[in-house]
Amino acid sequence: MRPQPGLLEPDEQVGGIVVVTVYARADLSVCSRILQAVTARRFAVERLVADLSSFDHNQVRGLDRVRERVMCVSLVVSVNGDHDVERLGKLLHRMIDVYRVEQTYRV
């Protein structure tokens, strides 16, 4: 898989960039744990955006039964291949207070 021109520097040793959306309990400590877990596993986090506003999470499939507030965390992560994407997904799915993980974009 080749990244699009301009997204990565020629000397970077990554296979691509993946955007992962994490739906979790709306709390900054949960956001901090997500960032800490991803960086501790040696993933290169390019950007993290946490939306703590009250959006209607009932529109998201699988979250209609959640009664408390939900935040949406978008992670942009550099990966070396498909095995890194799988590892990242498994890591995030195992975390407490994470309700759903979606891969929304991949370059």
Side-chain angles (χ1 to χ4, degrees):
M1 178 172 85
R2 289 193 98 126
Q4 295 179 358
L7 290 175
L8 299 173
E9 296 296 324
D11 61 339
E12 286 188 89
Q13 299 297 317
V14 296
I17 293 178
V18 66
V19 178
V20 178
T21 303
V22 180
Y23 298 99
R25 184 171 56 90
D27 190 351
L28 283 178
S29 65
V30 176
C31 183
S32 176
R33 280 190 284 137
I34 291 170
L35 181 60
Q36 183 180 19
V38 172
T39 55
R41 300 303 191 284
R42 306 225 191 268
F43 287 106
V45 177
E46 304 293 337
R47 181 164 295 171
L48 179 133
V49 177
D51 181 9
L52 293 167
S53 66
S54 298
F55 73 98
D56 187 13
H57 64 272
N58 293 320
Q59 303 289 328
V60 179
R61 197 177 105 220
L63 295 181
D64 51 351
R65 295 183 184 148
V66 177
R67 297 291 175 226
E68 54 192 23
R69 289 183 51 213
V70 176
M71 74 173 164
C72 176
V73 178
S74 295
L75 288 166
V76 179
V77 181
S78 296
V79 293
N80 288 324
D82 291 334
H83 63 282
D84 277 350
V85 176
E86 290 177 29
R87 275 189 18 202
L88 178 63
K90 288 178 183 178
L91 168 70
L92 293 171
H93 278 293
R94 286 189 300 229
M95 293 189 66
I96 296 173
D97 296 325
V98 169
Y99 302 125
R100 184 174 172 85
V101 178
E102 296 178 344
Q103 178 183 328
T104 54
Y105 186 73
R106 183 167 180 180
V107 178

